[in-house]
Amino acid sequence: MSPDAAQLPALGIDIGGTKVAGGVVAPDGTILDTARRATPGKSVSKTEDSIAAVVDELAERHGAPLVGVGIGAAGWFDRTGDTVLFSPHLAWRNQELRRDLGRRLRRPLWVGNDADAAAWAEYRYGAGRESSLMVMITLGTGIGGGLVIDGRLQRGAHGVVGEWGHMRVVPDGRLCACGNRGCWEQYASGNALGQTARDVATKSPAAAASLLDRVGGDLSRITGEVVAKAAADGDPLAGELLSEVGSWLGQGIADISAILDPEVVVIGGGVSVLGETVLGPARERLDRALPGRGFRPGPRVVAAELGAQAGLVGAADLVRRAVSDGE
């Protein structure tokens, strides 16, 4: 390992559907400076322009040497991380992103999935520190995540490890955007929370009267965010629906545990800010559903610690690690 590279700050970039967020990240995970640009998601070249603008701005302000640029983006990458196979919110389709950005930025690069980057950040600096096998589950619109085993981020044979949301938990259940039915994220995500609330409001408007009042009677405006806010304000139906999402979360964790036997499961993403409202029911369901329960330990289930900046922190550390190890 090169001690010089290991001790240098790195640039981390987190690319979402609406923004390119960047930060200068110290070796201890501290964010020293940040910048952002809008993501023109329909244009490959303009998205690369935004990435380059953030990198140039941060590099110029920082002044001192930077080890490289780590980039995490929503999408499916190949095993090497060089190529974006598909990105749902951006224009990349079989895009050789590492090659293209390498020509543009002329710095050492790490490129990969944003959930993988967030998982690595939680392993290195957050709730999964020093664990032997850590599963990261990101709860947002859907469910994603990452996997770290014995100190190594796992990409999988084809680069798409950690798509936990597409485990099928209900045969012939709700139709998922992936084309299958009954996927886990249809029952334990922000979208699932909104869908379940709309189903209740359709079948029993009286039971969902408080939620309907919040959206002016417009059923289509009942989202997971609306339900979460109602639960925080003490709405009993909203609280019950959140508990149901938590229970489904616990069932999925039990299924993952049957295969991987993780030491710790870290829950991140937007829904995770609800804390014990979701995590409490998840742990209760896990205790009931864990195979071999009573004769084997289960994983710790904990909230992520690094929040929305985990992706850029992890991406920065991954490029630092790659350069330090001579990869």
Side-chain angles (χ1 to χ4, degrees):
M1 177 179 288
S2 166
D4 291 339
Q7 294 168 11
L8 286 175
L11 282 173
I13 306 292
D14 187 10
I15 305 170
T18 60
K19 69 180 184 305
V20 175
V24 178
V25 184
D28 66 357
T30 302
I31 299 174
L32 306 175
D33 193 8
T34 60
R36 67 169 54 194
R37 294 287 191 284
T39 303
K42 294 182 179 180
S43 168
V44 170
S45 62
K46 289 181 179 178
T47 298
E48 291 179 4
D49 288 345
S50 292
I51 295 168
V54 170
V55 170
D56 290 346
E57 178 182 340
L58 288 171
E60 182 177 352
R61 280 210 304 258
H62 184 68
L66 296 163
V67 71
V69 181
I71 296 174
W76 288 6
F77 287 73
D78 69 358
R79 185 177 183 180
T80 66
D82 293 345
T83 302
V84 187
L85 303 175
F86 170 74
S87 182
H89 305 297
L90 300 164
W92 295 324
R93 301 290 185 273
N94 289 309
Q95 191 79 25
E96 294 186 35
L97 187 62
R98 184 171 180 176
R99 181 201 65 186
D100 296 346
L101 288 176
R103 291 171 178 170
R104 181 79 176 263
L105 302 179
R106 299 186 180 278
R107 296 174 182 272
L109 284 178
W110 178 90
V111 178
N113 178 266
D114 56 349
D116 283 345
W120 182 254
E122 290 293 339
Y123 170 76
R124 285 277 285 132
Y125 307 111
R129 286 187 297 273
E130 300 181 1
S131 56
S132 60
L133 198 159
M134 186 201 83
V135 167
M136 175 85 173
I137 296 172
T138 54
L139 294 180
T141 302
I143 298 178
L147 176 65
V148 179
I149 301 176
D150 293 333
R152 295 189 68 85
L153 179 68
Q154 305 297 311
R155 288 185 184 265
H158 305 99
V160 292
V161 73
E163 291 294 332
W164 320 119
H166 298 292
M167 296 189 305
R168 297 179 70 183
V169 296
V170 178
D172 298 321
R174 290 175 177 169
L175 181 64
C176 182
C178 76
N180 287 329
R181 287 185 175 274
C183 290
W184 188 27
E185 68 177 41
Q186 295 303 311
Y187 302 89
S189 66
N191 269 0
L193 183 60
Q195 179 63 55
T196 303
R198 290 191 295 273
D199 288 348
V200 173
T202 299
K203 295 172 183 175
S204 180
S210 177
L211 289 177
L212 287 167
D213 284 346
R214 287 173 177 268
V215 295
D218 184 351
L219 189 72
S220 66
R221 291 175 54 205
I222 299 179
T223 63
E225 186 176 356
V226 169
V227 179
K229 179 64 168 61
D233 292 340
D235 182 273
L237 173 62
E240 182 180 334
L241 295 177
L242 276 175
S243 181
E244 182 177 332
V245 164
S247 185
W248 276 113
L249 173 62
Q251 179 62 58
I253 293 172
D255 294 345
I256 290 172
S257 297
I259 300 167
L260 293 175
D261 188 25
E263 177 182 345
V264 59
V265 176
V266 178
I267 310 298
V271 177
S272 71
V273 301
L274 300 170
E276 290 303 309
T277 306
V278 170
L279 296 188
R283 294 191 193 98
E284 291 175 7
R285 180 65 170 266
L286 171 62
D287 288 344
R288 297 196 306 271
L290 182 70
R293 53 196 173 277
F295 297 95
R296 56 163 289 189
R300 292 185 292 115
V301 178
V302 297
E305 295 179 1
L306 301 181
Q309 294 178 313
L312 69 87
V313 170
D317 195 61
L318 284 161
V319 73
R320 184 186 296 108
R321 182 183 179 90
V323 173
S324 298
D325 291 348
E327 296 179 3

